[in-house]
Amino acid sequence: MSFDIGERVEVIGNENGMEGSYFKGQVIDRSPGRRTIRYETLLADDGSPLEEVISVRRLQPPPPTIMARFHLEDMVDAWHNEGWWVGRYVRREGGKYIVFFENEAPPNQHVSYPKAQIRIHQEWKELEEGGKWKYAKR
């Protein structure tokens, strides 16, 4: 994908403690192999939206919305700490969905979310058919 100026993207977290996270942003500048991103939810020290130059390898388009029922052990993304974090749906308690995180600090924690704050985890496959989304396996 070209990730043009003005496009909405998700930045794949790859730093220590950020693995398994995705943060929403918009492309505001481009150079070969890199894009400047203005994050929607992450803030700079002065309170303005954080801007960062990112390798295009760490970018993906936002996944399509899927209206699906969650099954036990499904991989999901939960809206947590200003971004989407990968976890597993492990049970339901009343109207809340309990998600287990392996990579979140502290590791091995369970957190409850309303359904509106979780989505089915999908993985962007850039090299397949010009880029396509695939459901993550349980």
Side-chain angles (χ1 to χ4, degrees):
M1 289 198 67
S2 62
F3 299 114
D4 294 322
I5 293 173
E7 260 187 84
R8 298 218 177 277
V9 295
E10 288 188 353
V11 178
I12 301 164
N14 69 348
E15 297 167 7
N16 190 23
M18 303 298 278
E19 299 93 346
S21 64
Y22 302 86
F23 295 91
K24 296 192 273 185
Q26 185 173 15
V27 177
I28 61 169
D29 197 12
R30 58 181 288 160
S31 60
R34 303 180 91 55
R35 301 296 180 268
T36 302
I37 305 300
R38 178 178 296 134
Y39 290 97
E40 291 181 19
T41 56
L42 298 179
L43 301 177
D45 292 337
D46 65 1
S48 65
L50 180 65
E51 295 179 4
E52 186 176 28
V53 177
I54 301 288
S55 166
V56 294
R57 293 181 191 166
R58 290 188 48 213
L59 298 177
Q60 66 181 29
T65 301
I66 297 175
M67 303 306 282
R69 195 168 177 205
F70 299 109
H71 300 285
L72 289 179
E73 297 299 316
D74 274 350
M75 288 183 71
V76 296
D77 299 332
W79 186 254
H80 182 76
N81 291 338
E82 307 301 325
W84 292 105
W85 293 78
V86 178
R88 289 201 182 273
Y89 166 58
V90 293
R91 69 180 178 278
R92 189 168 175 191
E93 291 179 359
K96 301 281 186 167
Y97 294 78
I98 311 302
V99 177
F100 173 75
F101 296 100
E102 294 176 8
N103 294 333
E104 175 70 6
N108 302 320
Q109 69 173 325
H110 292 78
V111 181
S112 66
Y113 297 94
K115 187 173 185 178
Q117 286 183 251
I118 59 175
R119 66 185 187 189
I120 294 291
H121 181 71
Q122 302 171 69
E123 295 188 2
W124 177 244
K125 302 297 183 183
E126 175 75 31
L127 301 177
E128 294 182 26
E129 299 174 29
K132 76 190 241 185
W133 287 100
K134 291 210 171 187
Y135 295 108
K137 302 290 183 204
R138 291 183 205 178

